[in-house]
């Protein structure tokens, strides 16, 4: 197994945030800051690596994902639906309601495709019926791209935009679909990577990012590691963390060679948290391969 995709194989905690469910890190290349969310903490954060400061913007409900908007502010997937937020993360307009039962469903992982279309999936919180979906926002309505999911996760695109990656975390599966960037047409999903859990290792694919060479970096929830897959779906490298539940990763820094990793502490056993006090923190790993600039929402 190769490990030369990283110049420092030991992720370091850069913010001891103690987030309940840290998720959705997004690098703002214009301001050189990292935005991220605490889903259960109902907050959007702005971390400045130059100063170490972290500003919290409280929200009235759980925020699962967001993207920077080209004209300022954010587009976000909240429990109740897709919303426009201003620069201080204050909800301005609901663009589309969550079509599922918000008592058991909320928006989870999401991002923009290379043309700035916002795509977001939901989570079936009872994990009982595979009722979650992956949606694309189009003219203030939601188009279903995938269905029958437990937890929509791991959304990412290949550098050329020809492939859309997508995970269903509780099913230990990463899917891949052909994608037409010009039209937004999405082909049927096919299993790209299937993880075989064991009694000792329940690590499963959560949020993800793709690097400039097409490597797919997946945070393995309950697996205590980030895994890089080649474009062929083969494990290329693994990077352990000192916490059990990494949730998502994103490339940032001036050269896009810092991999930021969010983590969670909600629902973890007290003994585990005692031994892993940095659970819920934000970690960073220097990589040899740079990432890609995150697309912004263009109102499409």
């Amino acid at each position: 197994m190769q490990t030369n995709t990283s110049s420092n194989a030991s992720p370091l905690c850069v913010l001891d945030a103690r987030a309940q469910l840290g998720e959705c890190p997004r690098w703002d290349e214009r301001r050189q800051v990292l935005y991220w969310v605490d889903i259960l903490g109902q907050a959007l954060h702005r971390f400045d690596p130059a100063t170490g400061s972290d500003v919290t913007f409280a929200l009235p409900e759980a925020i699962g994902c967001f993207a920077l908007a080209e004209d300022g502010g954010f587009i976000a997937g909240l429990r109740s639906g897709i919303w426009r937020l201003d620069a201080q993360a204050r909800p301005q307009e609901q663009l589309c309601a969550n079509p599922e039962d918000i008592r058991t469903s909320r928006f989870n992982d999401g991002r923009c495709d290379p043309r700035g279309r916002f795509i977001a999936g939901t989570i079936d919180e009872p994990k009982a019926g595979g009722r979650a979906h992956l949606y694309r926002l189009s003219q203030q309505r939601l188009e279903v791209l995938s269905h029958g999911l437990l937890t929509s996760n791991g959304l990412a695109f290949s550098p050329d935009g020809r492939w859309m990656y997508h995970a269903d975390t509780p099913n230990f599966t990463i899917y891949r679909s052909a994608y037409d960037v010009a039209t937004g047409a999405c082909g049927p999903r096919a299993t790209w990577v299937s993880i075989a859990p064991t009694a000792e290792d329940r690590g499963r694919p959560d949020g993800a990012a793709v690097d400039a060479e097409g490597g797919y970096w997946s945070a393995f929830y309950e697996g205590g590691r980030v895994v890089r897959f080649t474009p062929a779906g083969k494990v290329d490298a693994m990077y352990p963390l000192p916490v059990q539940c990494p949730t998502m990763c994103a490339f940032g820094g001036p050269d896009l060679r810092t991999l930021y990793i969010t983590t969670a502490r909600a629902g973890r056993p007290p003994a585990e948290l005692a031994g892993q006090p940095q659970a819920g923190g934000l970690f960073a790993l220097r990589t040899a391969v740079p990432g890609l600039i995150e697309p912004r929402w263009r109102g499409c």
Side-chain angles (χ1 to χ4, degrees), residues 138-224:
S138 178
Q139 303 301 319
Q140 294 192 309
R141 64 185 182 88
L142 293 173
E143 301 174 344
V144 175
L145 299 184
S146 190
H147 60 87
L149 306 169
L150 292 173
T151 302
S152 181
N153 241 325
L155 180 66
F157 292 86
S158 61
D160 60 9
R162 292 181 56 238
W163 297 105
M164 183 184 78
Y165 301 99
H166 178 231
D168 190 354
T169 303
N171 283 324
F172 296 83
T173 302
I174 306 171
Y175 300 103
R176 189 175 74 164
S177 302
Y179 197 81
D180 186 330
V181 171
T183 65
C186 181
R189 74 188 189 205
T191 297
W192 184 59
V193 172
S194 183
I195 310 300
T198 67
E200 295 76 27
D201 185 1
R202 299 283 296 174
R204 48 201 184 272
D206 202 314
V210 169
D211 64 34
E213 294 183 353
Y216 180 92
W217 297 69
S218 176
F220 268 42
Y221 188 84
E222 281 196 331

Side-chain angles (χ1 to χ4, degrees), residues 2-10 210-215 217 228 236-237 239 251-252 255-259 284-292:
Q2 298 178 355
T3 58
N4 60 359
T5 51
S6 172
S7 58
N8 178 0
S10 299
V210 169
D211 64 34
E213 294 183 353
W217 297 69
R228 183 184 190 266
D236 176 66
Y239 303 100
F251 288 93
D255 57 2
L256 295 178
R257 289 183 52 236
T258 298
L259 189 76
L285 168 72
R286 288 293 289 169
T287 66
V289 179
L292 302 165

Side-chain angles (χ1 to χ4, degrees), residues 13-34:
C13 185
V14 294
L15 180 66
D16 189 12
R18 307 291 175 101
Q20 291 300 301
L21 183 51
E23 271 282 8
C24 199
R26 290 281 178 266
W27 182 251
D28 183 343
E29 81 284 0
R30 298 175 186 174
R31 296 175 177 84
Q32 293 291 296
V33 296
L34 184 84

Side-chain angles (χ1 to χ4, degrees), residues 78-81 97-107 122-126 131-133 135:
L78 308 184
R79 176 174 290 276
S80 61
N98 184 350
E100 301 169 14
D101 185 345
I102 63 171
R103 295 172 298 179
T104 58
S105 165
R106 62 166 171 79
F107 276 94
T122 55
I123 177 173
D124 176 1
E125 290 176 316
R131 298 184 179 93
H133 296 74
Y135 300 99

